[in-house]
Amino acid sequence: MSSFTLESGTVDTPAASTVLSMQQALNRALDEVLADNPKAVIFGEDCGRLGGVFRITDGLQAKHGEQRVSDTPLAESGILGLSVGLAMAGFHPIPEVQFDGFAYPAINQIVCQIARMNYRSRGRLPMPITLRVPSFGGIRAPEHHGESLEALFAHVPGLKVVSPSDPHEAYHLLKYAAARPDPVIFLEPKSRYWQKGDVAPEHGGPPTGAKVMRPGRHLTLVAWGAMVARCLQVADLAAEDGIDVEVLDLRWLKPIDAEALAASVRKTRRAVVVHEAPLTSGLGAEVAQLITQGCFDTLKAPVERVTGFDVPYPSGDLEDEYIPNIDRILFGIQRVLEYRRG
Amino acid sequence: MDTLPPGASGDDAAPLSPADLRELYSLMAAVRHLDTSAIAWQRQGIIPGYAPEAGQEAAQVGSGYAVDRTRDFVFPTYREMGVARTLGVDMVAYMSTHKAIWHGGLYDPLESRLAPIQAVVAGSVLHAVGWAHGQTLSRPAGASTEHTTGVALAYFGDGASSQGDVHEAMNFAAVMKAPVVFFVQNNGWAISVPTERQVAGGSVAARAAGYGMPALQIDGDDVVAVVDATRRAFAHARQGNGPVLVEAMTYRRGPHSTSDDPGRYRSLDEEREGAGEDPLERFRQRLLADGIADEEFFAGALAAARAEEEQIRAGLQALTPRPGAEMFDLVFQETTPALQAQAASWRKESEHV
Ligand SMILES: Cc1ncc(C[n+]2csc(CCOP(=O)(O)OP(=O)(O)O)c2C)c(N)n1
């Protein structure tokens, strides 16, 4: 049995890079996956002719044919159950659930079937399924279009979970995920789909583990998905006050790179976890525990969390109140910097 | 009900020879004997639980007999022991599930063509559609479908037919023209709930019309009728015409599982009346009347079933728990650092070094 080794990365200066939006980067990754792997198949609601409501699969059906890229009936459990059978038949399904909140009707197939089939069959029926889920809030969408499901999926034995934070990460992480022999839940931060950035196809760096997006000395901000960009913004602002913030993009939410967390916080001695999901039993608790375990002696303050609230995801008007904003993250930073032992 | 258009059926419709008929009887006898024994094993503490299938032998053996193990794939529930036996699955490995050794069983699903046993009703019906769609995708462009396409055979019950996944599966299969045979064993009961309180619309077979799918409702206690119907359904699906639904009307005698108490929902008299004639006895009379088998043959079949059962029991009793490390090793193809760490601490803190 091989191992999913965690190799942390740092920011690389992209050589021969192109500027792409995350949507384009994901689209290019899928195009290449289809070209490289004849067993890869993409399907979901509106994935074919329309190219998906976010156009992530744009043009792929025209290029690779209706067999490889197809529209399914509107039924999430059906889409995920179909993936199981296709995987059993030797395919590498890359299904799409149109929006995060519609993964709920498929939970039975994801948790009871996809996550367990390798185990149940003693390794004879691997589930190389990459489930793409446009995730998280920030786009003023209707109810069920802005959920953060990472803790739910990360809690399920047999699933791996990853979320890219920018176009470069999106390209490399998706290509890596789609080559795995195990099920990967790929959470795309939909509020970042149209943001552009450098993508260096030849220089990915290690696609596993966490990645330091900005080195710093005074404290570590831990984030993933859309919150990484916000934390980088916060770091710029904090720098004006002489606070040197390190930003760690966790990238893999399962398995979590505990080494990288410890390495960063051993250096900065303070940490704030930032996520959009509700506070209680969120992934921030897991991260805080891993940091405590790895850095108890060196920690200068308890790990802080800046998160969404324990409320159903609110409608657009209240979204900015719900998602951690710059001020709330700065308050979190202040709390760890000013902490004094009782 | 029979809405399956007649058509050329190739290999799937070879008439049953006298040798086939005798083989079917031997299989049914072996399954009946093993099933009765498994209940006894549970009472004796050899296995903790079992889902009996007495009365469903014709439905299971007949449908399993239609499977071509070189190209088809079968998706069972938790009650398909007779299908497994008909497919030639290693029965000790199959029964290991009921001995609580490994969920899914210890048999090799790829070699045996039988997906792992599982407990979520209707859970695997969609998998059958996915696998079948994979056959369509794998077919070279322009190739004749005949003699190349594998068919997925999905088993489920009248109770399971209420699950949303079954409706999604039928719709997907019909839209995709996937080579699937949906094989419903309507055994009259879903634990304590009778079919009339479970299935609206008259029958499960009646629903097929809504998906534009042909259906057959058959006497599931007549093994020859089951073989015939399943083969016709296979032929139809194999030739690229899409899915077929077969509803085999049968009856679950005795309890739903070894921990069920059917006395709370029906009387023995009701059971006798509902169950009708024993499918095994019925087939025996038919073989006798047609001069295809004699008493000597039946005695031989029973002796073989007994010997086989003894062998399986011995194998099962000799079966020891799997090494605990497998608990960690088989979660992923590529393990994770957290799992490795948990396995290491388990090793250190347990006695199973
Ligand atoms: C999704 C799900 N819900 C509930 C159960 C509990 N349960 C196990 S078997 C059963 C009845 C199934 O009846 P049917 O599909 O007719 O099959 P039968 O057992 O009669 O062969 C129930 C309710 C289950 N296994 N799965």
Side-chain angles (χ1 to χ4, degrees), chain A:
Chain A
M1 182 182 37
S2 53
S3 155
F4 189 105
T5 41
L6 299 180
E7 270 185 81
S8 324
T10 47
V11 240
D12 36 38
T13 19
S17 66
T18 357
V19 175
L20 295 176
S21 67
M22 187 184 280
Q23 175 267 335
Q24 291 167 325
L26 291 166
N27 182 264
R28 180 170 298 189
L30 290 175
D31 187 11
E32 291 174 13
V33 167
L34 286 171
D36 295 346
N37 179 1
K39 287 294 182 186
V41 280
I42 291 174
F43 49 89
E45 294 156 16
D46 307 294
C47 277
R49 218 147 60 137
L50 181 68
V53 292
F54 290 108
R55 307 290 184 270
I56 308 303
T57 53
D58 197 19
L60 297 182
Q61 185 180 67
K63 184 163 169 192
H64 298 277
E66 284 181 30
Q67 301 280 56
R68 309 285 308 280
V69 183
S70 53
D71 291 318
T72 63
L74 207 169
E76 288 73 20
S77 194
I79 293 167
L80 274 302
L82 188 80
S83 304
V84 175
L86 280 165
M88 288 171 74
F91 286 84
H92 195 130
I94 309 177
E96 175 184 294
V97 164
Q98 201 159 68
F99 284 95
D100 35 59
F102 307 127
Y104 293 124
I107 289 290
N108 171 34
Q109 283 292 335
I110 297 172
V111 174
C112 299
Q113 308 299 338
I114 290 179
R116 288 169 190 244
M117 196 58 89
N118 188 72
Y119 201 66
R120 191 183 278 156
S121 70
R122 303 175 53 74
R124 292 294 279 152
L125 300 173
M127 291 284 112
I129 296 169
T130 306
L131 170 60
R132 293 182 35 252
V133 189
S135 294
F136 317 119
I139 60 160
R140 298 279 187 276
E143 195 178 10
H144 306 305
H145 294 67
E147 310 274 307
S148 298
L149 300 173
E150 65 267 40
L152 200 144
F153 288 132
H155 191 63
V156 177
L159 299 178
K160 291 170 184 171
V161 186
V162 66
S163 186
S165 61
D166 65 29
H168 181 77
E169 294 300 315
Y171 171 84
H172 287 287
L173 290 175
L174 184 53
K175 286 199 75 171
Y176 182 74
R180 306 279 44 85
D182 291 310
V184 179
I185 312 291
F186 194 88
L187 304 176
E188 299 169 1
K190 59 176 98 77
S191 67
R192 307 295 300 169
Y193 272 151
W194 313 108
Q195 301 299 315
K196 298 202 164 188
D198 283 332
V199 177
E202 304 300 326
H203 300 268
T208 60
K211 183 166 171 179
V212 175
M213 302 303 265
R214 172 193 169 116
R217 289 172 298 131
H218 295 148
L219 82 142
T220 303
L221 283 180
V222 184
W224 50 89
M227 286 299 98
V228 173
R230 184 152 297 174
C231 288
L232 288 168
Q233 255 182 309
V234 168
D236 283 344
L237 290 170
E240 292 171 13
D241 294 331
I243 304 166
D244 191 13
V245 174
E246 174 148 317
V247 177
L248 186 72
D249 179 357
L250 204 55
R251 300 199 299 183
W252 287 88
L253 311 178
K254 186 178 188 178
I256 290 183
D257 188 350
E259 283 300 311
L261 278 173
S264 174
V265 181
R266 267 200 296 273
K267 182 176 68 175
T268 63
R269 308 184 70 179
R270 293 179 171 89
V272 179
V273 198
V274 181
H275 63 64
E276 285 186 42
L279 177 76
T280 302
S281 299
L283 219 54
E286 182 70 30
V287 170
Q289 159 59 15
L290 290 171
I291 293 173
T292 307
Q293 207 173 353
C295 320
F296 185 68
D297 292 345
T298 48
L299 271 181
K300 287 210 160 178
V303 179
E304 275 292 332
R305 287 181 287 171
V306 179
T307 71
F309 303 110
D310 290 357
V311 301
Y313 193 83
S315 54
D317 268 2
L318 284 171
E319 213 171 36
D320 293 340
E321 303 300 323
Y322 174 90
I323 300 178
N325 56 27
I326 287 173
D327 284 345
R328 282 175 58 208
I329 299 170
L330 284 170
F331 276 124
I333 289 175
Q334 199 178 348
R335 288 199 295 277
V336 298
L337 288 177
E338 293 176 355
Y339 178 80
R340 296 279 172 273
R341 269 167 220 279

Side-chain angles (χ1 to χ4, degrees), chain A residues 108, chain B residues 52 56 77-80 119-123 156-161 163 185-193 198 252 256:
Chain A
N108 171 34
Chain B
Q56 298 182 220
T77 71
Y78 43 83
R79 203 191 291 286
E80 263 68 76
V120 183
V121 307
F156 56 98
D158 43 309
S161 80
Q163 288 274 320
Q185 285 170 85
N186 186 339
N187 64 10
W189 295 87
I191 308 188
S192 67
V193 179
Q198 186 74 247
R252 185 230 325 139
H256 164 82

